[in-house]
Amino acid sequence: MNLIVQKYGGTSIGSVERVQTVAQRIHKIAQKGNKVVVVVSAMGKTTDTLVKLASEITSSPCRREMDMLLSTGEQVSIALMSIALQELGQPAISLTGAQVGIITEAEHSRARILSINPHRIQRHLDRGEVVVVAGFQGISDGTDLEITTLGRGGSDTSAVAIAASLKANCCEIYTDVPGILTTDPRLVPDAQLINEITCDEMLELASLGAKVLHPRAVELARNYGIPLVVRSSWSDTPGTRVISPTPKPRYIDKLELTKSVDGINFDSDQAKIALLRVPNSPGVAARIFGEIASQQLDVDLIIQSIHENNSNDIAFTVSKNVLNKAEAIVEAIAPALRNSPTNNDEAEVLIEKGAAKIAIVGAGMIGRPGIAAKMFKTLADAQVNIEMIATSEVKVSCVISPNNSNRAIDALSKAFDVQLSETPIASNLVQVSPHVRGVALDTKQVQIALLSVQDCPGMAAKIFGTLADKNISVDTIIQSQRCRIINGMPTSDIVFTVSQEDLQAVHTSLDILSGSFTEVITDIEIAKVSIVGAGMLGQPGIAAKYFGALAEQGINIKMIATSEIKISCVVAKAEGIKALKAVHKAFELTEQETSKISVL
Ligand code: ADP
Ligand code: ASP
Ligand code: MG
């Protein structure tokens, strides 16, 4: 007898008829002898409607009252679903988050789950009842028993957390699309179904705009090794399997509060090349990385950001043994960039022969802005200067001088209580995977540039620590390679993106820091287009193909940020969908073949 947790999203239960159709599906599964726990969201657009009601009263409602309001949506669904099941002759009972004992932090509107009491659910299952649980909500620990919610889209997380606490055989997420697709089918109609995807890839995609799964649900599935499937509510097609590496043993009583950092990766075999003051016009990145790819050289991290006089800096790392070749290519291109009509400055090539990359890894850092800040602070306290920063959802990498390696490793191991681990996350899986698994568009971000930030150890820690204190998650941090002397002090620029929702809070925080930089430039007209795939690791030419696809459409790149398994480009918002379509096509995702992942 299998124990299955099924989650049905708002789109799947948008009307009473749909509730009845879903009830029939659940009834069939239960009749086959399975124990079934059903997690439901609010019907259709109910949550949005409730948000709108509050916004008619005030633009800044109290988060506690919003939780009280929004949690009602799921309560309607559980009762109707249970009634529909009972009407089919299927014994069923509806339970709220509090009744099931979903205990969370007291952090309204974004609470993390601490524990779930499995006994009540178990008791009803043993009586042959289907248990229908309200997703998205919980109750705070302590004496006040406050109703909390997990954050928009959080029912996925409720479902996986329940599956983990019940040690269910699998967790199925039912939705209005056939599974996880190569991109959002609402934007690119010929997006294709992905049969299998690794948790690491899905974490990136979900955090970069693919809202089909709540990233924290993927984090839980990954940490506890829960077999997770995303499927259509309307058909019996198998959907997408989200594959976890073999999990490490963990305590179920701290569900979402497990250690945020699992390990430290280190690579001392790197070299860095920076091209300063290249023209800010379409095709420049495509040209540089096109030449590099034509020599079959693999590039690791790439960053690009715009600076004064409308010119760009591009920096990237390669493995030391190909530095000479890469340097020759860049030196050969530089004169042409210097003579470009749009370039007022001189393009300059900087080479650093020895560079080391140190990274902290762990799915628990998602949505915890303090982790990156803690890394920067730890390195600053150990007198380690950070030369380049690359962030992904599950990893923060810093390029440092190899002379500082031992100090950096020691300090980070102590600060995060972890060991140096040789293996990058992705190598836990044997893959025959496409280079790019999927692409995502995020139009809800803003780009913030801090100009002439004093360039001394501890500055990144100070800036991102202040933002973290306000619970602001920063994505895509870029520290410029260009140094300007102001009042005898070296300065450089720092550019990052944050969610639009946090813009006001960012400005308030930056006010506290004024004096540490000369100017703040905010660009809200941006779109972030990202390609994700564990198969791009060690594969030359992926970046070149991506930048080439944008150049062909005449799309200018405002910012580039990469991690090992993703490349994100910031472009003008008006060009976001065009860029998404171009990239989706360039990587032939419309013709994707079935790919299999097997766990070691
Ligand atoms: P639910 O109500 O079931 O939770 P959501 O609206 O949260 O549904 O998520 C499903 C939607 O996610 C789809 O309708 C689709 O438009 C969107 N989506 C975005 N990116 C992707 C993707 N890569 N694959 C599938 N769906 C995606
Ligand atoms: N109803 C909530 C929302 O709309 C939770 C969810 O759907 O997962 O965000
Ligand atoms: Mg959802």
Side-chain angles (χ1 to χ4, degrees), residues 51-247:
V51 170
K52 193 160 170 291
L53 283 179
S55 74
E56 285 170 19
I57 303 173
T58 167
S59 61
S60 53
C62 151
R63 298 213 326 250
R64 177 191 185 274
E65 300 310 330
M66 284 308 284
D67 278 359
M68 192 63 89
L69 177 65
L70 299 194
S71 59
T72 60
E74 271 68 15
Q75 207 164 319
V76 171
S77 314
I78 52 172
L80 288 177
M81 182 60 78
S82 190
I83 292 168
L85 285 164
Q86 290 167 3
E87 195 57 19
L88 293 172
Q90 171 63 53
I93 183 166
S94 64
L95 295 171
T96 64
Q99 286 175 306
V100 180
I102 300 184
I103 308 294
T104 72
E105 304 167 307
E107 186 73 41
H108 286 293
S109 82
R110 52 175 171 236
R112 283 177 180 263
I113 300 176
L114 301 174
S115 64
I116 298 179
N117 178 354
H119 302 302
R120 177 137 194 217
I121 300 182
Q122 207 75 62
R123 208 165 67 230
H124 291 291
L125 288 174
D126 291 343
R127 285 186 202 148
E129 291 166 351
V130 167
V131 184
V132 187
V133 181
F136 177 56
Q137 56 174 258
I139 195 144
S140 69
D141 58 348
T143 47
D144 284 344
L145 305 181
E146 290 278 45
I147 292 178
T148 53
T149 67
L150 311 183
R152 296 300 307 269
S155 295
D156 300 334
T157 298
S158 310
V160 181
I162 290 172
S165 68
L166 292 173
K167 302 196 170 57
N169 297 82
C170 78
C171 181
E172 300 174 336
I173 307 286
Y174 285 89
T175 185
D176 64 339
V177 284
I180 297 161
L181 307 182
T182 48
T183 192
D184 189 342
R186 285 186 221 177
L187 304 177
V188 184
D190 56 6
Q192 297 295 303
L193 179 69
I194 300 171
N195 296 302
E196 294 188 339
I197 186 166
T198 64
C199 276
D200 287 341
E201 290 170 316
M202 193 56 223
L203 274 172
E204 295 282 0
L205 274 181
S207 314
L208 291 165
K211 292 285 188 288
V212 61
L213 267 184
H214 200 228
R216 279 161 49 194
V218 188
E219 174 193 350
L220 278 169
R222 181 182 183 282
N223 287 347
Y224 294 97
I226 310 291
L228 183 63
V229 183
V230 180
R231 303 179 60 178
S232 161
S233 300
W234 321 125
S235 74
D236 286 322
T237 48
T240 307
R241 289 197 324 128
V242 183
I243 311 290
S244 316
T246 314

